[in-house]
């Protein structure tokens, strides 16, 4: 479990994280979403004790990172996959990390296998592709077999196969009961990965909810096609729905797809299509963050 409470962090006069409070629970993949500069990396760095907060606390398993005797066994993180010593081999890099954290050599082989780098274990990191570096960074995060994992934009620059691999790994880690926090500025990617989302903008909390609730919140009506469309339109309007013609079908709001299907069935109208439509999650994200920008502007003016 990660508990962030009233976290505030400034760079000079600029407020990067502003009184942020949220909890990341075990057994779930939690997406940490926000546009560039929202404060995601800063929050993660404070959780990892790499930066001191100006106010508030960030606890992992009830304790600040700085008080852990063997932190790699409690929390693993991928922050910047580029930041490794290129002259070493993958195995040497991991063994160096393991040794300085009291972790046995067997874990090095285990995590190299787990991330699919076993065959290139003795190659110098300098020759690694971005995807291989990401995998190596994830191997390092997993080295201490920690219960809490944080990944900052892990899919950045990866090909579709690499993205799918990361998605499946997150799921597996959460299913093992671990706490998984993964940041992204791409809502669409998160929709496929996360169970829960924490959305921030300008360092402030915008939403802390389940992914399915967020999707439902941005539901954009139902597209329906029927054998007898005028009859269906009349029926739906008679129960209070908003109906307009669209693309040879009916765009319906005010009723969900289940209810529309039941009404059509009861009246004996055959349906040819019944499609609930959501705003793209990118649109939802824009809306959410625009609200936060407006909120920010309002506060500044007031
Ligand atoms: N070392 C620094 N010095 C000064 N300002 C910084 C520093 N690091 C970050 N900032 C500022 O703090 C704010 C939050 O940045 P942060 O990197 O945490 O956001 P982010 O959500 O991770 O963004 P991104 O998706 O671009 O990584 C931004 O306005 C950024 O410009």
């Amino acid at each position: 479990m990660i508990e962030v409470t009233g976290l505030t962090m400034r760079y000079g006069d600029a407020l990067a994280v502003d009184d942020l409070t949220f909890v990341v629970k075990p057994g779930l993949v939690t997406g940490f979403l926000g546009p560039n500069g929202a404060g995601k990396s800063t929050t993660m760095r404070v959780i990892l004790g790499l930066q001191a907060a100006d106010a508030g606390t960030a606890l992992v398993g009830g304790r600040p990172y700085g008080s852990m005797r063997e932190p790699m066994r409690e929390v693993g993180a991928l922050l910047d996959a580029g930041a490794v010593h290129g002259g070493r081999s993958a195995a040497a890099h991991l063994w160096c990390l393991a040794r300085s954290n009291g972790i046995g050599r067997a874990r090095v082989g285990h995590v190299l296998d787990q991330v699919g780098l076993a065959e290139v274990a003795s190659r110098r990191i300098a020759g690694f592709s971005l995807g291989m570096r990401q995998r190596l960074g994830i191997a390092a995060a997993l080295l201490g077999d920690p219960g809490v994992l944080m990944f900052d934009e892990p899919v950045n620059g990866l090909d579709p196969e690499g993205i799918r691999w990361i998605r499946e790994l997150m799921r597996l880690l959460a299913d093992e009961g671990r706490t998984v926090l993964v940041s992204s500025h791409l809502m669409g990617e998160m929709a496929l990965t996360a169970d829960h989302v924490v959305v921030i903008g300008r360092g402030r909390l915008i939403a802390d909810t389940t992914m399915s609730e967020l999707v439902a919140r941005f539901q954009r009506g139902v597209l329906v096609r029927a054998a007898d469309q005028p009859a269906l339109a009349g029926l739906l309007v008679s129960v209070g729905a908003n109906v307009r013609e669209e693309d040879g079908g009916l765009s319906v709001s005010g009723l969900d797809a289940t209810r529309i299907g039941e009404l059509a069935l009861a009246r004996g109208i055959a349906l040819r299509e019944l499609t609930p439509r959501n705003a793209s999650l990118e649109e939802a994200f824009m809306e959410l963050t625009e609200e936060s920008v407006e909120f920010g502007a309002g506060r500044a003016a007031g």
Side-chain angles (χ1 to χ4, degrees):
M1 177 129 94
I2 302 171
E3 292 162 282
V4 170
T5 311
L7 195 69
T8 299
M9 170 78 207
R10 286 188 191 85
Y11 292 106
D13 287 343
L15 203 51
V17 178
D18 185 3
D19 195 21
L20 190 59
T21 298
F22 63 90
V23 171
V24 188
K25 296 197 184 111
L28 301 174
V29 176
T30 298
F32 192 24
L33 277 162
N36 290 125
K40 305 178 297 291
S41 303
T42 302
T43 303
M44 287 181 152
R45 291 175 62 80
V46 173
I47 295 170
L48 290 168
L50 296 169
Q51 270 169 263
D54 288 305
T57 56
L59 305 179
V60 178
R63 288 187 299 148
Y65 188 91
S67 75
M68 295 173 191
R69 283 192 50 225
E70 293 181 322
M72 280 188 89
R73 291 179 185 277
E74 308 205 30
V75 48
L78 171 77
L79 285 192
D80 179 1
V84 287
H85 192 304
R88 288 205 185 107
S89 72
H93 167 67
L94 292 174
W95 174 225
C96 183
L97 280 176
R99 212 171 28 202
S100 53
N101 282 274
I103 296 165
R105 193 184 272 275
R107 284 293 302 166
V108 172
H110 182 85
V111 296
L112 281 166
D113 260 345
Q114 198 173 357
V115 303
L117 289 179
E119 280 180 23
V120 295
S122 55
R123 278 213 235 147
R124 279 157 47 103
I125 300 165
F128 276 21
S129 69
L130 178 59
M132 289 160 86
R133 281 170 190 262
Q134 291 290 75
R135 285 176 192 252
L136 181 62
I138 290 170
L142 297 172
L143 200 57
D145 200 12
V148 175
L149 286 146
M150 294 200 298
F151 301 103
D152 195 7
E153 307 264 0
V155 304
N156 259 5
L158 292 190
D159 60 17
E161 161 59 25
I163 292 174
R164 207 187 66 203
W165 175 75
I166 289 204
R167 213 181 273 153
E168 286 167 2
L169 178 70
M170 308 275 142
R171 170 64 36 222
L172 184 83
L173 293 168
D175 287 349
E176 288 172 350
R178 298 176 211 259
T179 302
V180 181
L181 181 65
V182 49
S183 79
S184 179
H185 58 274
L186 299 174
M187 185 101 130
E189 172 53 33
M190 275 301 102
L192 296 168
T193 314
D195 309 294
H196 197 93
V197 277
V198 171
V199 185
I200 66 170
R202 296 185 162 197
R204 295 186 70 92
L205 187 72
I206 296 176
D208 180 353
T209 182
T210 62
M211 196 72 223
S212 49
E213 199 278 327
L214 197 63
V215 170
R217 191 154 140 193
F218 290 93
Q219 171 92 57
R220 293 279 192 268
V222 180
L223 184 72
V224 54
R225 293 177 209 278
D228 186 347
Q229 217 136 261
L232 180 66
L235 171 65
L236 297 177
V237 168
S238 75
V239 296
N242 266 317
V243 179
R244 61 185 170 78
E245 279 191 37
E246 187 185 303
D247 193 20
L250 301 173
S251 174
V252 183
S253 54
L255 286 179
D256 67 13
T258 308
R259 189 76 193 112
I260 295 168
E262 287 167 357
L263 288 165
L265 177 66
R267 195 61 71 84
I269 299 171
L271 295 186
R272 296 189 171 147
E273 181 178 349
L274 185 62
T275 310
R277 296 190 296 189
N278 298 312
S280 85
L281 284 169
E282 300 307 337
E283 285 167 344
F285 185 41
M286 292 296 287
E287 264 180 50
L288 280 170
T289 49
E290 260 165 33
E291 283 164 20
S292 94
V293 171
E294 280 161 17
F295 178 53
R299 278 195 325 148

